[in-house]
Amino acid sequence: MYETQYHRASSVQDAVSRMEAAGEGKYVSGGMTLIPTMKQRLAAPSDLIDLRHIAEMQGISVNGRSVRIGAATTHDEVASAAALKAVCPAICHLAGHIGDPHVRHMGTIGGSIANNDPAADYPAAVLALGATIVTNRREIAADDFFTGLFETALEDSEIITAITFDAPAKAAYQKFANPASRYAMAGVFVAKRDNGEVRVAVTGAGANGVFRQMDMEAALAANWSPDALATVSVDATDLLSDLHADAAYRANLVKVMAKRAVAAA
Amino acid sequence: MAKVTMTVNGRQVSGHCDDRTLLVQFIRENLGLTGTHVGCDTSQCGACVIHMDGKSVKSCSILAAQAAGSTITTIEGLAADGELHPVQAAFKANHGLQCGFCTPGMVMTAVDMIRRHQGQLDEATVRAELEGNICRCTGYHNIVKAILAAAAEMSGARVAAE
Amino acid sequence: MGVEGIGARVARKEDKRFLTGKGRYTDDMSVPGMKYAVFVRSPHAHAKILKVDASAAKGMPGVIDVLDGKQILADGIGNLICGWMIHSKDGSPMKMGAWRPLAHETVRYVGDAVAIVVADSVAEARDAAEAVVVDYQELPVVIDASKAIEAGQPQLHPEAPNNLIFDWQIGDETATDKAIATAAHVTEVTIHNNRLSPNPMEPRAALGIYDAGDDHYTCYTTSQNPHVARLVMSAFYNVAPENKLRVIAPDVGGGFGSKIYIYPEEIVCLWASKRTGVPVKWTSDRTEAFLTDAHGRDHVSTVKMAFDASNRIIGLKVDTIANLGAYMSLFSSAVPTYLYATLLSGQYDIPAIHANVRTVYTNTAPVDAYRGAGRPEATYLLERTMETAARELGVSPAELRRVNFIRSFPHQTPVIMNYDAGDYEASLDAAMQAADWNGFAARKAEAANRGMKRGIGMSCYIEACGIAPSAAVGSLGAGVGLWESAEVRVNAVGTIEVLTGSHSHGQGHETTFAQLVADRFGVPLDSVNIVHGDTDKVQMGMGTYGSRSGAVGMSAVVKALDKVEAKAKKIAAHLMEADESDIVIENGELKVAGTDKSVPWFQMALAAYTAHNLPSGMEPGLKEGAFYDPANFTFPAGCYICEVEVDPDTGRTKIVQFVAADDFGNIINPMIVEGQVHGGIAQGIGQALLESVHYDASGQLLTASYMDYAMPRADDLPSFQVSTSNTPCPNNPLGIKGCGEAGAIGSPPALINAITDAIGNNALTMPATPQKVWAAAHAAK
């Protein structure tokens, strides 16, 4: 790891001030991606501004079907939140399968979304749930937030403070893990609204990161059942190919995971 | 160089270290507690698992500075008064270790796992919960057996106490 | 057996320190003034070094010094060696290229060490290592061994034209060709044995300490055989004479073969300690381990197996190309020859066998022994071929094996080995019964109802362990004798220390070796200590690998115990005025048989040291040593059965049951033996299902971390059903065969035979990743 200077922020405003004073600063929350990346000398922030202790970014609130998850809420807290499980068990299931128990004790929803790793799980949920990303400056629709591999709409020093969404009528997430890293090789989050709107978001497979599978959305809007996906063909053109899975195999996995998610929802 | 203070195994400790110092380095080098190990560079092997504020975490992926002010338990802090913790005893009774290198992380993971599941564990759950810990010697067979035995004993003991 | 003696399921004495964080591994060692080393490594798979410029690095914060390959050459440190001479079939010796501890002219694989940086902290050393400027002139690269021996390929070493190290053969080619020509059926297959990274969880480490006052070196290192390390560093690398070099292998976190060898890093740390005047510690990170720990396997073979009309094997012909990487590691030449081709008879009575083996340099990490070492390659080749043959011949896999089993012993194979004992049908029957083989059809039908493809596969393995008779291996080219030593010290209070040249890095010697003593003298296990891993404490030893610590190391202990027992009986007889032939040792007492006279063990020991009343002419004290050189290899064997369910939609394989029935001869501690089998099976399953080292065409390692190299995790594996049968080994005093490698040897073919059975497509290579299985399952439709 290169040298860096650590700051513990006491509030969102304090964090922003410290970031604006820093040269090449980075926010760190759980640090479960950033610290390993720094260890490998693939990132070299001059300053690290720790958001983990900011009270206003913590916690989950559920009002009817309206959900707000503070950005510094850990995966473990999301996975085990009873009130959230009652209205949207799919996101609890997803959170409970990120990384491993130790990673889930540190990693946070805000950190995962801000990092936008193409194999991370949360971006699929955020996109399929049509969630809103709340920052210290504005609210950003999920459709506008993820802009490419490790790229988001966040501006310099902008901080995600919460994620909000309305619980869907039905939803589920299924992933097929890379045998080595255990990150998603294909992860599909399906969600159906009371009004019949369907969203299908895919992570782990896209060459440009998380994306919506519109053909599946149309098929499922017409007929919410795994069988409805039988005739949908998944285009492998923009899918990742690597040592573990080529694009054609990933296309197959996307379809299989989507079917299983619909069946599980 | 910054001064970092935390509570480790029940004692308040302080040390000076670079901000880039990992918690595991602080524990091993500043505090001399070498039971916590490093087996990989990518936060996957779990040899470095400790408890921070009561929860299992990977000390190789946290800066010492991030952990300042927290309460830490390492493998050296688990056995009370020289008596093996029930999880340690179960690992011994069930031959849940061979070379011993992954063992501290496995034991700390098992203690956390049993706590979160209130001792209600089955084989499939234990295997899934071990996703973040790699052992090369045992094939996990006896580790799983040891954790199930410890969970049964600890929940039995709790029932008896209630 | 007593509760702590031979055959008892004793919990391990060493566990407490590991369970409480008190283990002492090399990286845990800290000495005053110690500094930290980071190696500058080649980013290129093949390049000329034009210049190493460390001037900027030397001025960086905390840096003590930066040392390079020209300096270590000037100081007379020698080349790394391969310790087993193999001659090609034309009689010429193997063609070994130079391996420098720090490259000064040419780098030949990514990770080749070029310089060492010593600094106050690891972080500062790494900062400085990045500032060492090395000018490279890149050279063309060859990765694939089959390609490397073709004409016109990049050449790694001037000594080895066309990268060919040796072209070796064993067996009778004429007889084998004749058998194939007259066969009723010939099964032909191509077998790939995938390259693996051993991955002990403790990365390699070395701490070199030079004491200028005594001109003496101490090396703490992660070694399976510290005495061999001292011997080699002294005799070949000119680090220091043996009397000026102490090598200590303290607690070692797994080895699996990869810690047998003497690598550049420990040599360089010792040398750098003298050059810098400070103790120098280096600890590998995991990526360095992937880059530089010796890899295992990497064979490609073509096989012809000839059958007569009654399905008996009449000939086996094998042509193997083995990739040895960029340099010849310590035992690399022995692995694809005498540890491999000598086992090609398997459990079968095969009258004619011929194997040709070519070993090849490529721009990849050196390849050497990894758990099983040659024997997994032989077993995988044979058992995949047998399965293929059974399918082609339309007979059951069990029947084909039964027809061909060796049934009388001793049995001389056509490839050197003389099997001493075994009952292969007993293992096969035990495994089939445990696996409920006959109930498989119903389970397959039930799985099909759930949309799953269920398959079953078996593997009957044999291995040669306890390496090995020194004269025999010497005649085959080994540079060392493969005996073992022991010393038993009875202290004046009756407690006992056993010094052994074997080294425990997970095998539990501190318990099992002590069980031998408890069994012999009836003393408590707690009164026995095992001392190992330190050249200053133990006189000499050959270390632990090849499942040899029981068969060879313990046999040496037995010989020393015999001597102790004889002297103890003499002393006791003298004290009780009895005849020594009437003395029996039971429950910690020396008794006169048939009387009520006895002397407690401790009292006899005290008498040995007070020496007030010893038999006339007897030397005081009670300490005996022994060297044991085995008469033959030992031959563990067994049958493994694996049952799987394949999800045809994703290609994921789930192992639903795994049965191992092994014959290890006599067993000292069944709990520890089972643990060895579990671990071996997990590594075998890892090879078959998950693990593979991949380089790209430019020689970059694609699987350099656990992000891309799939290690078996708990949820990849089932619980295992293990059992043992016993035909005692007639060639050592304990009747032990060895158990350390069996699991890794027997399991890969059982698993691949099961998956190919499930998907109905025999064309599948290891590792059977979901993508490959999915594609193969669809191709079968």
Side-chain angles (χ1 to χ4, degrees):
Chain A
M1 191 179 296
Y2 295 106
E3 285 197 62
T4 190
Q5 189 165 5
Y6 173 82
H7 310 256
R8 185 171 292 186
S10 56
S11 66
V12 171
Q13 192 44 54
D14 179 38
V16 172
S17 306
R18 287 171 187 266
M19 179 61 86
E20 285 171 350
E24 290 284 331
K26 263 201 172 285
Y27 294 121
V28 62
S29 186
M32 291 295 95
T33 305
L34 181 57
I35 302 293
T37 308
M38 291 171 67
K39 275 166 64 181
Q40 293 180 72
R41 301 191 163 219
L42 299 172
S46 62
D47 297 75
L48 270 185
I49 295 127
D50 189 348
L51 309 177
R52 201 165 65 93
H53 301 270
I54 299 175
E56 61 200 284
M57 289 173 64
Q58 309 277 343
I60 298 166
S61 64
V62 179
N63 258 321
R65 300 193 67 77
S66 170
V67 176
R68 182 182 195 280
I69 304 174
T73 307
T74 65
H75 308 326
D76 180 58
E77 288 162 347
V78 171
S80 51
L84 182 56
K85 209 173 275 182
V87 297
C88 187
I91 198 166
C92 302
H93 169 86
L94 176 148
H97 289 80
I98 298 171
D100 58 53
H102 326 301
V103 166
R104 294 196 285 273
H105 283 145
M106 286 298 290
T108 65
I109 187 168
S112 171
I113 290 166
N115 188 48
N116 192 21
D117 187 305
D121 299 296
Y122 264 132
V126 168
L127 197 55
L129 291 168
T132 299
I133 292 95
V134 182
T135 78
N136 58 323
R137 292 180 200 163
R138 56 186 169 146
E139 296 193 345
I140 309 170
D143 283 327
D144 301 327
F145 184 80
F146 301 108
T147 55
L149 296 179
F150 300 102
E151 297 284 333
T152 69
L154 289 173
E155 296 165 353
D156 288 350
S157 82
E158 189 172 12
I159 299 175
I160 301 175
T161 55
I163 311 299
T164 64
F165 61 91
D166 288 334
K170 291 182 170 198
Y173 178 67
Q174 291 284 307
K175 73 170 159 183
F176 194 87
N178 179 308
S181 71
R182 301 300 186 99
Y183 275 83
M185 222 145 70
V188 181
F189 199 106
V190 298
K192 184 187 183 192
R193 300 254 150 229
D194 291 325
N195 65 8
E197 185 203 352
V198 171
R199 280 174 166 245
V200 177
V202 179
T203 189
N208 301 307
V210 66
F211 66 94
R212 284 174 64 186
Q213 225 298 347
M214 304 290 188
D215 293 344
M216 287 184 175
E217 291 181 0
L220 290 170
N223 173 16
W224 178 261
S225 93
D227 295 341
L229 297 173
T231 54
V232 176
S233 75
V234 178
D235 185 1
T237 312
D238 288 329
L239 298 189
L240 285 167
S241 266
D242 59 28
L243 192 61
H244 306 280
D246 63 20
Y249 177 60
R250 271 198 168 83
N252 169 68
L253 288 179
V254 168
K255 190 158 166 174
V256 173
M257 292 303 114
K259 282 185 184 175
R260 290 181 184 179
V262 173
Chain B
M1 276 292 176
K3 189 178 178 190
V4 171
T5 300
M6 60 186 81
T7 302
V8 177
N9 299 333
R11 286 176 47 207
Q12 192 171 20
V13 296
S14 296
H16 290 274
C17 61
D18 280 350
D19 282 8
R20 62 173 158 173
T21 304
L22 296 167
L23 178 56
V24 67
Q25 292 172 313
F26 184 78
I27 290 170
R28 285 177 58 80
E29 285 160 30
N30 289 58
L31 306 181
L33 297 171
T34 56
T36 303
H37 297 151
V38 177
C40 78
D41 324 326
T42 48
S43 316
Q44 287 167 299
C45 81
C48 67
V49 169
I50 57 156
H51 294 173
M52 183 163 86
D53 297 327
K55 292 175 177 175
S56 64
V57 296
K58 288 181 162 167
S59 61
C60 74
S61 300
I62 298 170
L63 300 179
Q66 283 176 284
S70 66
T71 299
I72 301 285
T73 305
T74 71
I75 188 68
E76 290 90 344
L78 205 56
D81 306 325
E83 286 288 309
L84 292 182
H85 182 281
V87 170
Q88 292 169 317
F91 268 69
K92 178 170 180 171
N94 291 281
H95 190 31
L97 64 153
Q98 291 182 24
C99 82
F101 196 77
C102 77
T103 307
M106 286 286 179
V107 168
M108 299 309 283
T109 297
V111 171
D112 180 78
M113 186 193 307
I114 293 168
R115 171 188 65 81
R116 280 184 291 107
H117 290 267
Q118 285 113 41
Q120 303 304 303
L121 287 165
D122 55 28
E123 180 179 341
T125 307
V126 172
R127 287 184 181 277
E129 285 276 349
L130 288 176
E131 175 156 359
N133 296 78
I134 299 177
C135 170
R136 191 57 152 171
C137 294
T138 65
Y140 305 97
H141 182 108
N142 285 338
I143 290 175
V144 173
K145 217 167 122 185
I147 294 172
L148 289 172
E153 196 200 316
M154 290 166 73
S155 54
R158 196 175 54 244
V159 169
E162 277 169 0
Chain C
M1 93 191 178
V3 290
E4 295 184 330
I6 292 174
R9 205 172 261 278
V10 181
R12 299 199 316 174
K13 286 160 63 78
E14 49 268 75
D15 283 355
K16 187 177 178 188
R17 71 172 185 273
F18 294 131
L19 284 163
T20 54
K22 303 295 186 194
R24 294 268 284 162
Y25 300 88
T26 299
D27 187 50
D28 300 340
M29 301 298 163
S30 193
V31 294
M34 185 177 81
K35 303 297 180 186
Y36 299 87
V38 164
F39 282 84
V40 177
R41 298 188 181 279
S42 171
H44 304 295
H46 200 189
K48 284 244 171 281
I49 299 170
L50 302 178
K51 190 179 172 198
V52 179
D53 179 359
S55 52
K58 284 181 183 174
M60 289 178 67
V63 174
I64 311 291
D65 206 350
V66 181
L67 302 168
D68 67 20
K70 284 189 175 150
Q71 290 168 292
I72 201 167
L73 184 72
D75 282 356
I77 302 295
N79 292 346
L80 279 78
I81 59 150
C82 176
W84 197 305
M85 171 54 71
I86 299 290
H87 287 84
S88 287
K89 54 195 180 194
D90 67 4
S92 63
M94 64 191 189
K95 298 176 172 61
M96 184 160 58
W99 184 4
R100 294 295 306 161
L102 293 174
H104 64 286
E105 290 176 328
T106 307
V107 288
R108 295 183 176 85
Y109 73 104
V110 173
D112 217 348
V114 173
I116 181 175
V117 179
V118 180
D120 288 338
S121 71
V122 175
E124 285 167 326
R126 203 169 296 280
D127 290 342
E130 287 185 2
V132 175
V133 181
V134 184
D135 284 345
Y136 293 102
Q137 179 192 337
E138 286 189 63
L139 297 169
V141 169
V142 64
I143 298 304
D144 179 68
S146 303
K147 194 172 154 197
I149 47 176
E150 292 171 2
Q153 292 298 317
Q155 300 291 300
L156 268 78
H157 295 277
E159 297 86 351
N162 293 328
N163 303 309
L164 185 67
I165 301 168
F166 56 76
D167 183 352
W168 173 88
Q169 66 176 351
I170 190 171
D172 186 336
E173 186 167 25
T174 310
T176 307
D177 285 343
K178 194 174 159 197
I180 291 167
T182 59
H185 178 84
V186 178
T187 291
E188 296 189 40
V189 288
T190 300
I191 299 287
H192 296 261
N193 207 290
N194 43 325
R195 179 184 277 238
L196 304 174
S197 175
N199 273 299
M201 291 318 296
E202 180 206 21
R204 288 191 296 120
L207 166 57
I209 305 164
Y210 176 69
D211 179 341
D214 289 334
D215 193 26
H216 181 276
Y217 294 81
T218 302
C219 180
Y220 287 90
T221 184
T222 50
S223 174
Q224 297 176 220
N225 45 354
H227 289 86
V228 177
R230 181 172 77 155
L231 167 69
V232 171
M233 286 199 278
S234 172
F236 297 98
Y237 305 158
N238 306 323
V239 173
E242 277 184 288
N243 62 321
K244 291 291 185 186
L245 174 58
R246 177 184 186 186
V247 178
I248 302 168
D251 286 329
V252 172
F256 316 113
S258 68
K259 293 172 180 169
I260 298 173
Y261 327 115
I262 293 81
Y263 291 88
E265 289 84 2
E266 44 266 37
I267 305 165
V268 174
C269 283
L270 283 165
W271 167 72
S273 178
K274 183 174 186 181
R275 289 285 302 227
T276 58
V278 294
V280 173
K281 181 161 84 176
W282 167 77
T283 304
S284 174
D285 61 31
R286 184 56 60 183
T287 291
E288 273 183 301
F290 275 110
L291 288 170
T292 67
D293 287 7
H295 292 166
R297 320 283 194 256
D298 204 346
H299 286 194
V300 180
S301 303
T302 57
V303 185
K304 289 181 184 174
M305 187 181 272
F307 293 86
D308 69 12
S310 53
N311 295 337
R312 293 183 70 93
I313 309 166
I314 55 172
L316 174 69
K317 188 162 187 178
V318 175
D319 184 15
T320 295
I321 296 175
N323 189 342
L324 293 193
Y327 301 103
M328 293 193 76
S329 178
L330 194 65
F331 288 115
S332 58
S333 56
V335 176
T337 51
Y338 293 110
L339 294 177
Y340 161 69
T342 54
L343 275 302
L344 283 172
S345 198
Q347 299 186 352
Y348 312 116
D349 187 355
I350 305 178
I353 297 175
H354 180 260
N356 196 96
V357 178
R358 285 170 288 172
T359 53
V360 183
Y361 281 124
T362 62
N363 295 113
T364 62
V367 177
D368 206 323
Y370 165 59
R371 200 170 195 167
R375 291 149 289 170
E377 293 91 320
T379 300
Y380 184 71
L381 179 151
L382 267 180
E383 293 302 290
R384 284 290 292 136
T385 306
M386 285 297 276
E387 190 71 27
T388 305
R391 290 172 190 174
E392 289 174 358
L393 294 166
V395 297
S396 81
E399 199 48 43
L400 189 64
R401 287 169 171 91
R402 277 184 214 281
V403 165
N404 287 289
F405 277 152
I406 293 163
R407 290 169 188 278
S408 70
F409 297 89
H411 174 87
Q412 178 63 52
T413 73
V415 278
I416 297 180
M417 291 300 178
N418 189 285
Y419 299 170
D420 53 8
D423 183 347
Y424 306 139
E425 193 144 37
S427 303
L428 176 68
D429 289 339
M432 289 179 75
Q433 190 171 352
D436 184 21
W437 185 279
N438 293 334
F440 172 71
R443 297 194 295 275
K444 185 180 175 76
E446 185 278 327
N449 288 337
R450 290 181 281 111
M452 304 300 276
K453 292 178 180 289
R454 198 160 172 128
I456 194 165
M458 66 167 55
S459 148
C460 296
Y461 78 90
I462 191 163
E463 56 163 331
C465 292
I467 47 178
S470 297
V473 297
S475 75
L476 301 177
V480 288
L482 288 168
W483 41 264
E484 195 46 86
S485 80
E487 185 175 299
V488 175
R489 290 202 302 233
V490 181
N491 299 316
V493 292
T495 57
I496 297 170
E497 280 137 10
V498 176
L499 287 69
T500 171
S502 297
H503 184 275
S504 182
H505 29 280
Q507 295 89 341
H509 296 172
E510 290 172 40
T511 305
T512 50
F513 282 47
Q515 283 180 259
L516 296 184
V517 180
D519 192 83
R520 178 70 71 102
F521 301 137
V523 296
L525 213 56
D526 281 346
S527 70
V528 184
N529 264 35
I530 307 302
V531 178
H532 67 103
D534 184 342
T535 58
D536 263 15
K537 293 181 180 168
V538 178
Q539 178 217 332
M540 184 56 179
M542 298 315 295
T544 289
Y545 40 85
S547 307
R548 68 192 305 274
S549 297
V552 188
M554 282 186 177
S555 293
V557 175
V558 167
K559 278 189 71 176
L561 288 174
D562 289 345
K563 296 181 189 175
V564 169
E565 181 180 336
K567 186 169 180 183
K569 282 180 171 172
K570 280 197 176 81
I571 296 168
H574 183 74
L575 292 175
M576 293 186 282
E577 297 177 339
D579 194 296
E580 71 177 86
S581 64
D582 289 336
I583 304 293
V584 292
I585 306 180
E586 280 173 11
N587 300 324
E589 289 187 320
L590 297 106
K591 299 177 180 170
V592 182
T595 75
D596 59 357
K597 284 204 277 189
S598 69
V599 175
W601 176 261
F602 75 86
Q603 200 173 320
M604 177 280 302
L606 192 61
Y609 284 91
T610 58
H612 297 161
N613 182 19
L614 290 176
S616 168
M618 178 182 275
E619 288 179 14
L622 189 50
K623 181 188 89 165
E624 300 288 348
F627 284 69
Y628 174 77
D629 199 344
N632 191 359
F633 287 87
T634 65
F635 298 96
C639 178
Y640 288 7
I641 293 175
C642 180
E643 194 165 328
V644 300
E645 280 189 8
V646 172
D647 177 347
D649 293 337
T650 62
R652 166 175 280 170
T653 298
K654 185 177 182 212
I655 300 170
V656 289
Q657 77 162 342
F658 200 102
V659 170
D662 294 291
D663 178 356
F664 296 134
N666 291 335
I667 286 171
I668 306 301
N669 184 328
M671 182 186 79
I672 286 175
V673 167
E674 288 162 15
Q676 289 293 309
V677 176
H678 297 155
I681 293 172
Q683 288 182 1
I685 290 173
Q687 165 160 33
L689 209 55
L690 296 159
E691 300 177 38
S692 194
V693 170
H694 288 278
Y695 286 93
D696 72 10
S698 70
Q700 293 298 323
L701 182 62
L702 299 177
T703 47
S705 78
Y706 294 145
M707 294 298 281
D708 288 302
Y709 189 89
M711 287 285 278
R713 319 250 185 132
D715 61 358
D716 291 314
L717 303 171
S719 284
F720 311 115
Q721 299 174 60
V722 303
S723 67
T724 54
S725 54
N726 182 5
T727 58
C729 174
N731 285 313
N732 62 54
L734 289 164
I736 288 181
K737 295 185 180 180
C739 64
E741 297 160 290
I745 293 169
S747 52
L751 182 51
I752 298 300
N753 289 342
I755 298 173
T756 53
D757 178 55
I759 63 177
N761 185 347
N762 200 40
L764 186 67
T765 57
M766 299 191 291
T769 61
Q771 166 159 286
K772 277 203 242 171
V773 173
W774 176 77
H778 283 257
K781 278 181 182 167

